[in-house]
Amino acid sequence: MKVKIDFVSNSSSTSFVYIAQGMLTKDDFFDAVGVSATSPAAPMFQEMFEQLLASIDRGDRLTSTEDIDALEGTREFMPEVLTRMREAVMQGRIVKTGHLSSDAGMAEGVLCTEIFEINSERFFINAYDNYW
């Protein structure tokens, strides 16, 4: 019998891609998710926005199709998302990958325990790589 005596994680993490012409704004985020600034849920979505923005800022900017080709075959992004990323790079749009962790607090934890995609006129976020 084997007994594990070191650290065991019960955390979740999610990889995501952010594609846009510019950086994410609170107004764009709230519009895309359908939340009013006066909603009782607004503080939670404000925190989600802040966590996403911080993760985007810390993320890796992909500037060439070769950068995206390097992700091919990994479990992080589906082929359709990789295609969308390549097209965005060729159009000169911002393409950044980032990570979220459930260890960072409740709002980020909620984002980590759900797969999600936000597809608005102003930006695209795909966070389908979710694992515990």
Side-chain angles (χ1 to χ4, degrees), residues 13-17 51-52 54-56 58-60 76-77 97-101 108 112 129 131:
S13 65
T14 299
S15 296
F16 69 90
V17 63
Q51 292 294 336
L52 273 171
S55 294
I56 292 167
R58 286 190 309 269
D60 295 322
E76 291 184 333
F77 302 107
T97 59
H99 301 278
L100 300 164
S101 171
E108 193 166 337
C112 285
D129 179 43
Y131 57 93

Side-chain angles (χ1 to χ4, degrees), residues 7-14 47 51 55 58 99-113 131-132:
F7 179 74
V8 177
S9 173
N10 199 15
S11 64
S12 173
S13 65
T14 299
E47 193 174 337
Q51 292 294 336
S55 294
R58 286 190 309 269
H99 301 278
L100 300 164
S101 171
S102 64
D103 294 335
M106 184 174 167
E108 193 166 337
V110 169
L111 293 171
C112 285
T113 57
Y131 57 93
W132 284 87

Side-chain angles (χ1 to χ4, degrees), residues 60-68 85-86 88-97:
D60 295 322
R61 179 136 189 205
L62 307 177
T63 59
S64 71
T65 55
E66 290 80 16
D67 290 343
I68 297 160
M85 293 164 73
R86 286 183 191 98
V89 163
M90 290 188 287
Q91 296 167 354
R93 301 182 83 191
I94 295 170
V95 177
K96 291 190 89 171
T97 59

